Amino acid sequence: MKGVRRFVWSAVLLSAVQLLTRVVSVSFNAWISARVGAEGMGLYTLVMSVYGFAVTVAVSGVHLASVRLTAQALAAKDSARKVRAVVRGCVAYSLLFGVGAGGVLLAVSGPVGRLLLGDTRTVPSLRVLAFSLPALSVCAALNGYFTGRRRAVRSAALTLVGQFVRIVGSAALLTLFLPAGIEYACLAVVGGAALSEAVSLLCAVLFCLPDGVRLRRDPPPALGEVFSAAFPVAVGAYARQGLVTCEHLAIPWGLRRSGASASSALAAYGVVHGMAFPMLLFPAAVLSAVAGLLVPEFAEYRARGETEKIRLGTARVLRLSLLFSVGAAAVFLTFPDALGEGMYPGTGAGRYLALLAPLIPVMYLDTSVDAILKGMGEQVYAMKVNIADAGVCLALVLILLPRYGIAGYIAVQYLCEIFNAALSLKRLTEVTGRTLRPGWLLCPLAAAGLSGGAVRL
């Protein structure tokens, strides 16, 4: 019972924090969009697509490894010493990959901006973001330690501090640099993000002190264990994120090939990925917080051989995920224009909210399923599915966008999300013995349909 109360308390706390940060983040994006326009959001999103791959290399699976190894160390004899060894090993691993990724991004930012992105305005922003990668990597390792040790308050505080510094720093810099043009506006926003990573790292180190974790003291770091747990996941993440980055770079190219101008293609890309998708994923803050807690919970069930708890836990997670996601989709389908115009006036974001809202149950359910699979030790399978999904997406973008434009991209999203979720659900059934029952989906659909119809009438 104590474990259940602890899980519920952690889930409620982290969900509240995630919701708060998502509210602030979406509102801040709307504030930025009102000042830099759709083209400016497109430029920023383009920079972040390359940064996303650099972050993947910098982190290299250390967060998941930190969660799992910390949970295992706590259950072993001489747990305090083993936990310290795990933390020191994760930090050493993070520094190795974080410094390496930052150095490479700094060195290639010029060619990447000119040749790959086709826009030299992205180069200064990439160089600033390169300096944030070591801090981001180490912070990911320490945050994984907090999750593995069930320190929900510290993890929540870390998230809030980082978000606060990012917004305040970005807003202050944007106010100064916006008159100089879109290039400097983008630089101001990423500058605030880089500053937030440095402050988050400082807070994470301070949060470790009450547990007696001293990074300079013995025992020697468990670097070998960290490599064994993190690097196989990292290799798959490299492949997947590399394909995703290529997909994002191909979107403006495909839109231009369909007949759009360079400016309008960048603007359309900014509306879809910089405005519509963040709004659609906003309610997922609750599921994301719970999903992070599911990994150590299911890992413990599996280690103890508690098959019935695995089956019951899986059923509960699937039912609640469908109930929540269908409700969220109904809201976006009922009020797309009001939500789109309310957050991003004059951009047409509401149209894309309506087109993509039916995908919400698929995307949200896949998040929960992936968390359970990782807790069950199926992270390699999940990695293979994600790589296959990214490869299919890239191929379809190259084929459909030049011919059908943005309509082709919407079709790509449907095909790839359904493909990914179907494969993940198939594996979940095999390892847990739980299948997805039709009633878990039909009841929320009926309720959402009646409620949405009543509102329309």
Side-chain angles (χ1 to χ4, degrees):
M1 186 61 68
K2 181 180 179 182
V4 173
R5 286 199 300 268
R6 182 183 62 191
F7 180 86
V8 171
W9 157 247
S10 299
V12 170
L13 176 63
L14 292 179
S15 297
V17 170
Q18 288 282 358
L19 280 174
L20 176 61
T21 55
R22 290 286 179 95
V23 168
V24 174
S25 179
V26 171
S27 302
F28 186 59
N29 277 353
W31 183 79
I32 293 174
S33 173
R35 282 151 181 79
V36 303
E39 184 180 358
M41 287 297 292
L43 187 70
Y44 171 68
T45 309
L46 205 59
V47 168
M48 297 309 288
S49 67
V50 174
Y51 182 59
F53 180 73
V55 168
T56 300
V57 177
V59 174
S60 289
V62 74
H63 182 269
L64 179 59
S66 183
V67 173
R68 291 182 59 207
L69 292 176
T70 299
Q72 291 173 11
L74 287 171
K77 294 181 180 179
D78 194 15
S79 60
R81 181 180 176 85
K82 289 184 178 180
V83 167
R84 291 199 302 271
V86 165
V87 173
R88 295 185 73 234
C90 289
V91 169
Y93 179 94
S94 298
L95 285 173
L96 176 64
F97 283 91
V99 172
V104 171
L105 180 60
L106 188 62
V108 303
S109 57
V112 166
R114 290 192 301 271
L115 304 177
L116 194 59
L117 301 182
D119 198 323
T120 56
R121 294 176 296 178
T122 61
V123 175
S125 296
L126 290 174
R127 288 174 176 164
V128 169
L129 289 172
F131 288 100
S132 71
L133 290 175
L136 181 149
S137 182
V138 176
C139 196
L142 296 179
N143 207 351
Y145 159 74
F146 298 143
T147 302
R149 195 150 188 170
R150 277 75 163 183
R151 302 293 197 231
V153 173
R154 297 181 198 177
S155 183
L158 202 59
T159 301
L160 289 174
V161 169
Q163 189 78 336
F164 175 79
V165 174
R166 172 179 171 266
I167 290 173
V168 172
S170 297
L173 293 172
L174 189 61
T175 303
L176 293 174
F177 292 156
L178 183 59
I182 292 177
E183 175 183 352
Y184 291 95
C186 184
L187 184 63
V189 176
V190 301
L195 178 62
S196 73
E197 297 299 341
V199 175
S200 295
L201 174 59
L202 177 62
C203 292
V205 172
L206 293 176
F207 291 165
C208 286
L209 299 182
D211 292 338
V213 176
R214 304 291 190 272
L215 301 181
R216 286 183 157 184
R217 296 184 181 178
D218 66 329
L223 195 55
E225 292 182 44
V226 177
F227 260 98
S228 299
F231 196 64
V233 177
V235 172
Y238 299 159
R240 180 181 184 274
Q241 190 60 44
L243 291 169
V244 170
T245 301
C246 291
E247 175 197 340
H248 280 259
L249 298 180
I251 293 169
W253 170 85
L255 294 175
R256 290 195 297 269
R257 291 290 297 270
S258 70
S261 66
S263 178
S264 61
L266 196 60
Y269 174 66
V271 171
V272 173
H273 274 282
M275 301 179 192
F277 267 113
M279 289 188 68
L280 291 172
L281 295 175
F282 163 71
V286 175
L287 289 181
S288 297
V290 175
L293 297 172
L294 289 176
V295 176
E297 291 296 323
F298 276 85
E300 286 190 10
Y301 294 159
R302 177 171 173 265
R304 295 172 183 164
E306 296 174 332
T307 306
E308 189 59 26
K309 285 189 176 181
I310 291 173
R311 295 181 73 252
L312 290 174
T314 301
R316 290 194 186 105
V317 170
L318 294 181
R319 285 202 306 268
L320 291 174
S321 297
L322 287 172
L323 181 65
F324 180 79
S325 59
V326 169
V331 172
F332 283 108
L333 282 171
T334 306
F335 307 106
D337 294 329
L339 291 170
E341 288 301 309
M343 293 300 298
Y344 303 103
T347 61
R351 171 172 173 255
Y352 297 110
L353 291 177
L355 289 173
L356 292 167
L359 266 182
I360 287 179
V362 180
M363 292 189 294
Y364 288 17
L365 183 64
D366 190 48
T367 299
S368 299
V369 171
D370 273 1
I372 297 174
L373 288 176
K374 289 174 181 176
M376 296 294 294
E378 294 290 329
Q379 61 269 13
V380 174
Y381 178 84
M383 169 194 71
K384 291 178 181 177
V385 171
N386 288 333
I387 292 173
D389 170 45
V392 170
C393 281
L394 176 59
L396 291 176
V397 163
L398 294 174
I399 294 170
L400 296 181
L401 257 68
R403 184 171 181 179
Y404 299 106
I406 198 68
Y409 184 64
I410 300 298
V412 169
Q413 291 301 306
Y414 273 86
L415 292 172
C416 292
E417 291 293 345
I418 293 172
F419 169 75
N420 191 323
L423 291 179
S424 297
L425 278 170
K426 176 179 177 294
R427 186 59 177 171
L428 184 72
T429 300
E430 294 172 355
V431 299
T432 66
R434 263 300 187 188
T435 58
L436 187 65
R437 295 182 179 178
W440 297 348
L441 178 60
L442 294 178
C443 291
L445 279 176
L450 291 172
S451 301
V455 170
R456 288 287 187 182
L457 289 174

